[in-house]
């Protein structure tokens, strides 16, 4: 495995970051998770755009232009010869002192890891999964905007622990108003009378790249889509429910907090969107030239 670390490709054993890096000390940084499908990096430019927006929101200067980071990402995928997998881009504040002042960190650290991905078993796409609602609420935007994909994931991790304890692969997170925000690492959708809805971003959701692709696919297929407030009542009375994310793609949800959703099996609309997404993922993105590395 070859890892991009501050402009150089190094082996896994040599890919080391200082313990004085504020990414390690304080979770001060931003990241992206991206998929490679058949030599195609899915929506790379959108991921890079979101990364730079997250960085800007925390006044973190990425020491590369967007074009340079795209090139470095493509080259790292090619150097690893990986046609299907997962890319992790991490930009941390860099090396500083033990105080939190980011001005002490003179240069951000840039890391690109290309690895395999642990997928949900195919059976779950056929049977659907149960979710539980976490007691931990999503951090409100006036504390730390959930639209920033930062290295601070403790809020999500605490909710994920609740999911695991309840025997569920994911948990729903409500915002501090008690409305649905998203899951711990996925966005959430419902279908009611063939209208496809997902919480608005101001409810405390990340602007998921998969979420955006699914909204586009739904509209292209003639569905009405809605982004607005969503309550637990909306979930419990939905015809269908599914989650979306880079790793998950589109996973049907068949139970929430022990209640059966819809008919208790993956719905037709969910299935149709998953099929459409699986077609899109091979086409929509940046092609890697493996011969050049
Ligand atoms: N919400 C959160 C909190 C996430 O971490 C992720 C995964 N990055 C998502 C939603 C889904 O976003 P995407 O489709 O871009 O992977």
């Amino acid at each position: 495995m070859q890892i991009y670390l501050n402009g150089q490709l190094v082996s896994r054993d040599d890919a080391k970051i200082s313990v004085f890096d504020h990414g390690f000390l304080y979770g001060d940084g931003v990241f992206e998770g991206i998929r490679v499908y058949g030599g195609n990096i899915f929506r790379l430019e959108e991921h890079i755009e979101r990364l730079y927006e997250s960085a800007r929101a925390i006044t973190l200067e990425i020491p590369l232009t967007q074009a340079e980071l795209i090139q470095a990402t493509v080259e790292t995928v090619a150097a690893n010869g990986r046609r299907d997998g997962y890319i992790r881009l991490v930009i941390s504040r860099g090396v500083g002192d033990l105080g939190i002042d980011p001005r002490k960190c003179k240069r951000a650290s840039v890391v690109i890891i290309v690895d395999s991905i642990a997928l949900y078993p195919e059976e779950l796409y056929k049977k659907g999964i149960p979710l539980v609602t976490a007691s931990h609420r999503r951090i409100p935007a006036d504390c730390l905007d959930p639209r920033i994909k930062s290295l601070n994931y403790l809020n999500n991790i605490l909710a994920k622990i609740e999911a695991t304890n309840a025997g569920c692969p994911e948990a729903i997170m409500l915002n501090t108003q008690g409305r649905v925000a998203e899951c711990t690492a996925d966005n959430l959708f419902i279908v009611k009378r063939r209208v496809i809805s997902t919480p608005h971003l101001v409810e405390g959701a990340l602007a998921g790249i998969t979420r955006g692709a699914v909204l586009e696919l739904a509209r292209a297929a003639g569905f009405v889509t809605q982004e607005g407030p969503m309550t637990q009542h909306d979930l419990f009375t939905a015809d269908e429910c599914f989650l979306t994310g880079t790793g998950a793609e589109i996973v049907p949800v068949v139970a929430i907090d022990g209640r059966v959703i819809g008919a208790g099996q993956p719905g037709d609309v969910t299935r149709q969107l998953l099929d459409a997404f699986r077609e899109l993922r091979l086409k929509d993105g940046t092609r890697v030239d493996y011969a050049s590395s």
Side-chain angles (χ1 to χ4, degrees), residues 70-89:
I70 286 172
Q71 196 186 340
T73 306
V74 172
E75 284 173 9
T76 308
V77 173
N80 283 279
R82 197 174 274 285
R83 286 183 160 70
D84 290 280
Y86 181 83
I87 306 165
R88 173 59 57 94
L89 287 183

Side-chain angles (χ1 to χ4, degrees), residues 31-33 47 50 138 149 153 156 182-187 206-211 244-247:
F31 78 101
E32 280 296 319
H47 279 281
R50 184 172 70 181
R138 197 79 183 87
K149 199 165 167 57
Y153 255 55
N156 312 58
E182 59 176 341
C183 293
T184 69
D186 297 291
N187 291 108
L206 183 78
I209 306 297
T210 323
R211 174 187 183 276
T244 66
T246 291

